[in-house]
PDB file of all heavy atoms in Angstrom:
ATOM      1  N   HIS V 362     121.267  94.473 135.043  1.00 81.00           N
ATOM      2  CA  HIS V 362     120.527  93.969 136.198  1.00 81.00           C
ATOM      3  C   HIS V 362     121.359  92.929 136.944  1.00 81.00           C
ATOM      4  O   HIS V 362     121.126  91.732 136.838  1.00 81.00           O
ATOM      5  CB  HIS V 362     119.185  93.376 135.751  1.00 81.00           C
ATOM      6  CG  HIS V 362     118.349  94.322 134.958  1.00 81.00           C
ATOM      7  ND1 HIS V 362     117.722  93.980 133.782  1.00 81.00           N
ATOM      8  CD2 HIS V 362     118.058  95.635 135.163  1.00 81.00           C
ATOM      9  CE1 HIS V 362     117.060  95.021 133.310  1.00 81.00           C
ATOM     10  NE2 HIS V 362     117.257  96.037 134.130  1.00 81.00           N
ATOM     11  N   GLY V 363     122.311  93.390 137.670  1.00 81.00           N
ATOM     12  CA  GLY V 363     123.103  92.498 138.507  1.00 81.00           C
ATOM     13  C   GLY V 363     124.299  91.912 137.791  1.00 81.00           C
ATOM     14  O   GLY V 363     124.346  91.861 136.559  1.00 81.00           O
ATOM     15  N   PRO V 364     125.288  91.444 138.574  1.00 87.00           N
ATOM     16  CA  PRO V 364     126.477  90.844 137.974  1.00 87.00           C
ATOM     17  C   PRO V 364     126.205  89.430 137.460  1.00 87.00           C
ATOM     18  O   PRO V 364     125.144  88.863 137.684  1.00 87.00           O
ATOM     19  CB  PRO V 364     127.482  90.836 139.133  1.00 87.00           C
ATOM     20  CG  PRO V 364     126.626  90.759 140.355  1.00 87.00           C
ATOM     21  CD  PRO V 364     125.377  91.517 140.043  1.00 87.00           C
ATOM     22  N   ALA V 365     127.197  88.858 136.760  1.00 87.00           N
ATOM     23  CA  ALA V 365     127.082  87.498 136.249  1.00 87.00           C
ATOM     24  C   ALA V 365     127.091  86.494 137.394  1.00 87.00           C
ATOM     25  O   ALA V 365     127.699  86.723 138.454  1.00 87.00           O
ATOM     26  CB  ALA V 365     128.215  87.211 135.276  1.00 87.00           C
ATOM     27  N   MET V 366     126.433  85.351 137.197  1.00 89.00           N
ATOM     28  CA  MET V 366     126.330  84.298 138.218  1.00 89.00           C
ATOM     29  C   MET V 366     127.026  83.042 137.715  1.00 89.00           C
ATOM     30  O   MET V 366     126.895  82.676 136.534  1.00 89.00           O
ATOM     31  CB  MET V 366     124.850  83.994 138.513  1.00 89.00           C
ATOM     32  CG  MET V 366     124.074  85.165 139.071  1.00 89.00           C
ATOM     33  SD  MET V 366     122.288  84.839 139.143  1.00 89.00           S
ATOM     34  CE  MET V 366     121.869  84.952 137.404  1.00 89.00           C
ATOM     35  N   ARG V 367     127.733  82.388 138.610  1.00 88.00           N
ATOM     36  CA  ARG V 367     128.405  81.144 138.246  1.00 88.00           C
ATOM     37  C   ARG V 367     127.353  80.067 137.985  1.00 88.00           C
ATOM     38  O   ARG V 367     126.423  79.875 138.765  1.00 88.00           O
ATOM     39  CB  ARG V 367     129.341  80.699 139.368  1.00 88.00           C
ATOM     40  CG  ARG V 367     130.522  81.639 139.617  1.00 88.00           C
ATOM     41  CD  ARG V 367     131.653  81.327 138.661  1.00 88.00           C
ATOM     42  NE  ARG V 367     132.233  80.045 138.920  1.00 88.00           N
ATOM     43  CZ  ARG V 367     133.235  79.828 139.788  1.00 88.00           C
ATOM     44  NH1 ARG V 367     133.743  80.839 140.466  1.00 88.00           N
ATOM     45  NH2 ARG V 367     133.718  78.615 139.955  1.00 88.00           N
ATOM     46  N   ALA V 368     127.508  79.345 136.847  1.00 87.00           N
ATOM     47  CA  ALA V 368     126.543  78.304 136.500  1.00 87.00           C
ATOM     48  C   ALA V 368     126.534  77.189 137.532  1.00 87.00           C
ATOM     49  O   ALA V 368     125.481  76.614 137.828  1.00 87.00           O
ATOM     50  CB  ALA V 368     126.867  77.751 135.112  1.00 87.00           C
ATOM     51  N   GLU V 369     127.682  76.885 138.117  1.00 88.00           N
ATOM     52  CA  GLU V 369     127.762  75.791 139.097  1.00 88.00           C
ATOM     53  C   GLU V 369     127.054  76.135 140.397  1.00 88.00           C
ATOM     54  O   GLU V 369     126.822  75.250 141.237  1.00 88.00           O
ATOM     55  CB  GLU V 369     129.224  75.460 139.376  1.00 88.00           C
ATOM     56  CG  GLU V 369     130.018  76.623 139.936  1.00 88.00           C
ATOM     57  CD  GLU V 369     131.492  76.336 140.016  1.00 88.00           C
ATOM     58  OE1 GLU V 369     131.980  75.455 139.283  1.00 88.00           O
ATOM     59  OE2 GLU V 369     132.170  77.007 140.823  1.00 88.00           O
ATOM     60  N   GLU V 370     126.669  77.408 140.554  1.00 87.00           N
ATOM     61  CA  GLU V 370     125.930  77.806 141.748  1.00 87.00           C
ATOM     62  C   GLU V 370     124.434  77.943 141.470  1.00 87.00           C
ATOM     63  O   GLU V 370     123.614  77.463 142.247  1.00 87.00           O
ATOM     64  CB  GLU V 370     126.481  79.141 142.279  1.00 87.00           C
ATOM     65  CG  GLU V 370     127.917  79.084 142.751  1.00 87.00           C
ATOM     66  CD  GLU V 370     128.420  80.444 143.195  1.00 87.00           C
ATOM     67  OE1 GLU V 370     127.663  81.443 143.025  1.00 87.00           O
ATOM     68  OE2 GLU V 370     129.546  80.538 143.699  1.00 87.00           O
ATOM     69  N   ILE V 371     124.080  78.607 140.343  1.00 87.00           N
ATOM     70  CA  ILE V 371     122.677  78.917 140.095  1.00 87.00           C
ATOM     71  C   ILE V 371     121.912  77.721 139.549  1.00 87.00           C
ATOM     72  O   ILE V 371     120.727  77.529 139.858  1.00 87.00           O
ATOM     73  CB  ILE V 371     122.564  80.136 139.143  1.00 87.00           C
ATOM     74  CG1 ILE V 371     121.135  80.665 139.145  1.00 87.00           C
ATOM     75  CG2 ILE V 371     123.001  79.777 137.738  1.00 87.00           C
ATOM     76  CD1 ILE V 371     120.658  81.184 140.469  1.00 87.00           C
ATOM     77  N   GLU V 372     122.534  76.878 138.735  1.00 88.00           N
ATOM     78  CA  GLU V 372     121.819  75.741 138.150  1.00 88.00           C
ATOM     79  C   GLU V 372     121.405  74.713 139.199  1.00 88.00           C
ATOM     80  O   GLU V 372     120.244  74.277 139.197  1.00 88.00           O
ATOM     81  CB  GLU V 372     122.667  75.104 137.050  1.00 88.00           C
ATOM     82  CG  GLU V 372     122.818  75.989 135.815  1.00 88.00           C
ATOM     83  CD  GLU V 372     123.676  75.345 134.747  1.00 88.00           C
ATOM     84  OE1 GLU V 372     124.106  74.178 134.942  1.00 88.00           O
ATOM     85  OE2 GLU V 372     123.921  75.979 133.700  1.00 88.00           O
ATOM     86  N   PRO V 373     122.291  74.282 140.117  1.00 88.00           N
ATOM     87  CA  PRO V 373     121.818  73.374 141.179  1.00 88.00           C
ATOM     88  C   PRO V 373     120.753  73.995 142.059  1.00 88.00           C
ATOM     89  O   PRO V 373     119.854  73.311 142.552  1.00 88.00           O
ATOM     90  CB  PRO V 373     123.088  73.064 141.969  1.00 88.00           C
ATOM     91  CG  PRO V 373     124.203  73.333 141.023  1.00 88.00           C
ATOM     92  CD  PRO V 373     123.745  74.466 140.185  1.00 88.00           C
ATOM     93  N   LEU V 374     120.844  75.325 142.268  1.00 87.00           N
ATOM     94  CA  LEU V 374     119.843  76.006 143.076  1.00 87.00           C
ATOM     95  C   LEU V 374     118.469  75.922 142.419  1.00 87.00           C
ATOM     96  O   LEU V 374     117.458  75.631 143.080  1.00 87.00           O
ATOM     97  CB  LEU V 374     120.257  77.464 143.266  1.00 87.00           C
ATOM     98  CG  LEU V 374     119.312  78.327 144.121  1.00 87.00           C
ATOM     99  CD1 LEU V 374     119.289  77.820 145.563  1.00 87.00           C
ATOM    100  CD2 LEU V 374     119.740  79.784 144.086  1.00 87.00           C
ATOM    101  N   ALA V 375     118.388  76.155 141.095  1.00 87.00           N
ATOM    102  CA  ALA V 375     117.115  76.086 140.384  1.00 87.00           C
ATOM    103  C   ALA V 375     116.561  74.663 140.401  1.00 87.00           C
ATOM    104  O   ALA V 375     115.364  74.448 140.607  1.00 87.00           O
ATOM    105  CB  ALA V 375     117.299  76.571 138.941  1.00 87.00           C
ATOM    106  N   GLU V 376     117.424  73.664 140.203  1.00 87.00           N
ATOM    107  CA  GLU V 376     116.970  72.277 140.182  1.00 87.00           C
ATOM    108  C   GLU V 376     116.468  71.844 141.554  1.00 87.00           C
ATOM    109  O   GLU V 376     115.414  71.192 141.672  1.00 87.00           O
ATOM    110  CB  GLU V 376     118.120  71.383 139.724  1.00 87.00           C
ATOM    111  CG  GLU V 376     117.733  69.930 139.553  1.00 87.00           C
ATOM    112  CD  GLU V 376     118.877  69.103 139.000  1.00 87.00           C
ATOM    113  OE1 GLU V 376     119.918  69.683 138.638  1.00 87.00           O
ATOM    114  OE2 GLU V 376     118.717  67.863 138.920  1.00 87.00           O
ATOM    115  N   GLN V 377     117.209  72.219 142.597  1.00 86.00           N
ATOM    116  CA  GLN V 377     116.802  71.844 143.958  1.00 86.00           C
ATOM    117  C   GLN V 377     115.470  72.483 144.317  1.00 86.00           C
ATOM    118  O   GLN V 377     114.602  71.847 144.925  1.00 86.00           O
ATOM    119  CB  GLN V 377     117.886  72.266 144.953  1.00 86.00           C
ATOM    120  CG  GLN V 377     117.626  71.809 146.383  1.00 86.00           C
ATOM    121  CD  GLN V 377     118.721  72.258 147.332  1.00 86.00           C
ATOM    122  OE1 GLN V 377     119.676  72.922 146.920  1.00 86.00           O
ATOM    123  NE2 GLN V 377     118.582  71.906 148.593  1.00 86.00           N
ATOM    124  N   ALA V 378     115.269  73.761 143.911  1.00 85.00           N
ATOM    125  CA  ALA V 378     114.015  74.447 144.220  1.00 85.00           C
ATOM    126  C   ALA V 378     112.849  73.804 143.482  1.00 85.00           C
ATOM    127  O   ALA V 378     111.740  73.699 144.013  1.00 85.00           O
ATOM    128  CB  ALA V 378     114.133  75.919 143.841  1.00 85.00           C
ATOM    129  N   PHE V 379     113.069  73.368 142.244  1.00 86.00           N
ATOM    130  CA  PHE V 379     111.982  72.759 141.484  1.00 86.00           C
ATOM    131  C   PHE V 379     111.487  71.488 142.166  1.00 86.00           C
ATOM    132  O   PHE V 379     110.277  71.287 142.335  1.00 86.00           O
ATOM    133  CB  PHE V 379     112.445  72.447 140.055  1.00 86.00           C
ATOM    134  CG  PHE V 379     111.355  71.887 139.187  1.00 86.00           C
ATOM    135  CD1 PHE V 379     110.497  72.732 138.509  1.00 86.00           C
ATOM    136  CD2 PHE V 379     111.170  70.519 139.061  1.00 86.00           C
ATOM    137  CE1 PHE V 379     109.477  72.216 137.709  1.00 86.00           C
ATOM    138  CE2 PHE V 379     110.164  70.001 138.270  1.00 86.00           C
ATOM    139  CZ  PHE V 379     109.310  70.850 137.587  1.00 86.00           C
ATOM    140  N   TYR V 380     112.413  70.619 142.557  1.00 84.00           N
ATOM    141  CA  TYR V 380     111.996  69.371 143.201  1.00 84.00           C
ATOM    142  C   TYR V 380     111.407  69.623 144.585  1.00 84.00           C
ATOM    143  O   TYR V 380     110.536  68.869 145.039  1.00 84.00           O
ATOM    144  CB  TYR V 380     113.178  68.416 143.290  1.00 84.00           C
ATOM    145  CG  TYR V 380     113.515  67.776 141.958  1.00 84.00           C
ATOM    146  CD1 TYR V 380     114.671  68.121 141.267  1.00 84.00           C
ATOM    147  CD2 TYR V 380     112.672  66.842 141.376  1.00 84.00           C
ATOM    148  CE1 TYR V 380     114.976  67.553 140.039  1.00 84.00           C
ATOM    149  CE2 TYR V 380     112.958  66.258 140.157  1.00 84.00           C
ATOM    150  CZ  TYR V 380     114.116  66.624 139.497  1.00 84.00           C
ATOM    151  OH  TYR V 380     114.405  66.059 138.280  1.00 84.00           O
ATOM    152  N   LYS V 381     111.852  70.689 145.229  1.00 83.00           N
ATOM    153  CA  LYS V 381     111.297  71.009 146.544  1.00 83.00           C
ATOM    154  C   LYS V 381     109.818  71.394 146.428  1.00 83.00           C
ATOM    155  O   LYS V 381     109.000  71.044 147.275  1.00 83.00           O
ATOM    156  CB  LYS V 381     112.093  72.167 147.160  1.00 83.00           C
ATOM    157  CG  LYS V 381     111.595  72.640 148.513  1.00 83.00           C
ATOM    158  CD  LYS V 381     111.933  71.652 149.606  1.00 83.00           C
ATOM    159  CE  LYS V 381     111.549  72.204 150.981  1.00 83.00           C
ATOM    160  NZ  LYS V 381     111.866  71.259 152.056  1.00 83.00           N
ATOM    161  N   ILE V 382     109.484  72.119 145.357  1.00 81.00           N
ATOM    162  CA  ILE V 382     108.115  72.638 145.205  1.00 81.00           C
ATOM    163  C   ILE V 382     107.213  71.662 144.463  1.00 81.00           C
ATOM    164  O   ILE V 382     106.075  71.399 144.851  1.00 81.00           O
ATOM    165  CB  ILE V 382     108.149  73.995 144.469  1.00 81.00           C
ATOM    166  CG1 ILE V 382     108.984  75.003 145.254  1.00 81.00           C
ATOM    167  CG2 ILE V 382     106.747  74.533 144.236  1.00 81.00           C
ATOM    168  CD1 ILE V 382     109.253  76.287 144.519  1.00 81.00           C
ATOM    169  N   PHE V 383     107.715  71.098 143.348  1.00 82.00           N
ATOM    170  CA  PHE V 383     106.844  70.373 142.419  1.00 82.00           C
ATOM    171  C   PHE V 383     107.031  68.857 142.445  1.00 82.00           C
ATOM    172  O   PHE V 383     106.416  68.171 141.627  1.00 82.00           O
ATOM    173  CB  PHE V 383     107.112  70.855 140.985  1.00 82.00           C
ATOM    174  CG  PHE V 383     106.973  72.331 140.795  1.00 82.00           C
ATOM    175  CD1 PHE V 383     108.095  73.132 140.672  1.00 82.00           C
ATOM    176  CD2 PHE V 383     105.728  72.931 140.765  1.00 82.00           C
ATOM    177  CE1 PHE V 383     107.987  74.493 140.499  1.00 82.00           C
ATOM    178  CE2 PHE V 383     105.608  74.292 140.586  1.00 82.00           C
ATOM    179  CZ  PHE V 383     106.737  75.085 140.458  1.00 82.00           C
ATOM    180  N   ALA V 384     107.846  68.326 143.317  1.00 81.00           N
ATOM    181  CA  ALA V 384     108.172  66.893 143.259  1.00 81.00           C
ATOM    182  C   ALA V 384     106.922  66.021 143.256  1.00 81.00           C
ATOM    183  O   ALA V 384     106.783  65.100 142.443  1.00 81.00           O
ATOM    184  CB  ALA V 384     109.093  66.510 144.403  1.00 81.00           C
ATOM    185  N   MET V 385     105.963  66.289 144.137  1.00 82.00           N
ATOM    186  CA  MET V 385     104.795  65.432 144.277  1.00 82.00           C
ATOM    187  C   MET V 385     103.550  66.003 143.584  1.00 82.00           C
ATOM    188  O   MET V 385     102.454  65.472 143.742  1.00 82.00           O
ATOM    189  CB  MET V 385     104.491  65.202 145.764  1.00 82.00           C
ATOM    190  CG  MET V 385     105.658  64.592 146.535  1.00 82.00           C
ATOM    191  SD  MET V 385     106.342  63.115 145.730  1.00 82.00           S
ATOM    192  CE  MET V 385     104.946  62.016 145.795  1.00 82.00           C
ATOM    193  N   VAL V 386     103.722  67.063 142.808  1.00 82.00           N
ATOM    194  CA  VAL V 386     102.583  67.650 142.074  1.00 82.00           C
ATOM    195  C   VAL V 386     102.300  66.789 140.843  1.00 82.00           C
ATOM    196  O   VAL V 386     103.217  66.497 140.064  1.00 82.00           O
ATOM    197  CB  VAL V 386     102.892  69.101 141.659  1.00 82.00           C
ATOM    198  CG1 VAL V 386     101.769  69.650 140.787  1.00 82.00           C
ATOM    199  CG2 VAL V 386     103.091  69.970 142.889  1.00 82.00           C
TER     200      VAL V 386
END
Side-chain angles (χ1 to χ4, degrees):
H362 305 133
M366 298 171 286
R367 294 276 293 272
E369 60 188 23
E370 296 177 354
I371 193 63
E372 291 179 3
L374 181 65
E376 185 176 353
Q377 185 180 0
F379 183 86
Y380 285 109
K381 178 73 174 180
I382 300 171
F383 305 105
M385 303 309 297
V386 174

